[in-house]
Amino acid sequence: MANLISILRIIIMFVAVYLIYTAEGDAIAYIWALILTIIAFSLDGLDGYVARKFNEVSKFGALLDIMGDRIVENTYWILFATMGWLNILFPLIAITRGFITDTIRSAAMEKGLTPFGMQVNPICKFITGSKLMRISYAVAKVLAFVLIITSKIPVCPYKELVWQVGFWAAVFAIIFCIVRGLPVIIEAKHVLKDA
């Protein structure tokens, strides 16, 4: 069930992205895209909860969750850059960080470690794996994506203010993305020492 939720959120995100890409000023399309975006990000927390609640926790599920996170996050960054709403550096940074950390985490999984359990240093472990940091990063991304979409709804009051807050939330989210990736890179030596 948890894995189906992970897959469903990707499908919902693609529908939302399609609506945004084809909306061309259509308020209803933007509103539906906004609702679907919120649902897609809400399902990210639900899949983990369901996995723990029904004892469906697995390495495959952890990989599917990370893969889903990357697909959803990177698709929004790419969409916003192609729409001209954000600079191309946003998706380039997010995608590069994802490739680097996921490659290292794949090596960790081959050694029997979980993607978030590979950290040795307690500070690194807190930055990458703690519930506080994971939720904070998710909230930063969701806030950025939701506000940016909201600012594009033709009937949105205070569009410029919503846009500015969304833009700075996106800047914060990208900085957070880098900060959460650095511990994985720093501790890669423990995973790759035999290579």
Side-chain angles (χ1 to χ4, degrees), residues 7 25 31 33 41 51 72 92 117 130 152 155 160 174 183:
I7 293 166
I31 291 168
F41 278 99
V72 171
L92 291 178
S130 72
K152 301 303 176 183
V155 295
E160 187 57 35
I174 269 310

Side-chain angles (χ1 to χ4, degrees), residues 2 9 15 20 30 37-38 45 49 55 64 68 70 77 93-94 97 101 123-124 133 140 145 153 155 173 177 192:
R9 70 184 284 251
V15 174
I20 292 168
Y30 278 119
T37 298
I38 292 168
Y49 172 79
N55 200 25
L64 187 60
R70 294 291 181 268
W77 289 126
I93 290 169
R97 179 265 194 183
T101 57
I123 295 171
C124 290
M133 294 299 278
F145 298 157
I153 299 172
V155 295
C177 173
L192 305 174

Side-chain angles (χ1 to χ4, degrees), residues 4 21 24 30 39 43 53 65 69 71 87 89 94 101 109 115 118 132 138-140 153 182 191 193:
L4 290 176
Y21 199 72
E24 296 183 26
Y30 278 119
I39 291 170
L43 290 176
K53 179 83 172 169
D65 182 51
D69 290 346
I71 291 170
N87 187 288
L89 288 176
T101 57
M109 289 195 72
M118 63 170 272
L132 173 68
V139 167
I153 299 172
L182 287 175
V191 175
K193 64 184 174 187

Side-chain angles (χ1 to χ4, degrees), residues 25 46 54 60 63 67 85 106 144 154:
L46 182 63
F54 296 103
F60 175 75
L63 283 175
M67 180 188 71
W85 300 347
S106 294

Side-chain angles (χ1 to χ4, degrees), residues 18-152:
Y18 174 79
L19 288 170
I20 292 168
Y21 199 72
T22 60
E24 296 183 26
D26 180 1
I28 301 298
Y30 278 119
I31 291 168
W32 271 109
L34 178 64
I35 292 167
L36 292 173
T37 298
I38 292 168
I39 291 170
F41 278 99
S42 299
L43 290 176
D44 182 31
L46 182 63
D47 62 1
Y49 172 79
V50 168
R52 288 184 296 280
K53 179 83 172 169
F54 296 103
N55 200 25
E56 296 178 354
V57 177
S58 67
K59 284 184 182 179
F60 175 75
L63 283 175
L64 187 60
D65 182 51
I66 291 171
M67 180 188 71
D69 290 346
R70 294 291 181 268
I71 291 170
V72 171
E73 174 184 355
N74 290 331
T75 301
Y76 278 102
W77 289 126
I78 292 167
L79 172 69
F80 293 166
T82 59
M83 299 292 287
W85 300 347
L86 291 176
N87 187 288
I88 191 67
L89 288 176
F90 285 83
L92 291 178
I93 290 169
I95 290 167
T96 300
R97 179 265 194 183
F99 279 140
I100 293 169
T101 57
D102 292 348
T103 299
I104 294 167
R105 287 178 173 153
S106 294
M109 289 195 72
E110 282 191 17
K111 294 188 173 192
L113 302 169
T114 63
F116 295 107
M118 63 170 272
Q119 309 300 165
V120 177
N121 180 296
I123 295 171
C124 290
K125 190 173 241 169
F126 174 77
I127 292 171
T128 60
S130 72
K131 189 178 261 188
L132 173 68
M133 294 299 278
R134 291 169 72 185
I135 290 172
S136 298
Y137 179 46
V139 167
K141 288 185 295 189
V142 172
L143 184 63
F145 298 157
V146 164
L147 289 175
I148 289 171
I149 295 168
T150 301
S151 75
K152 301 303 176 183

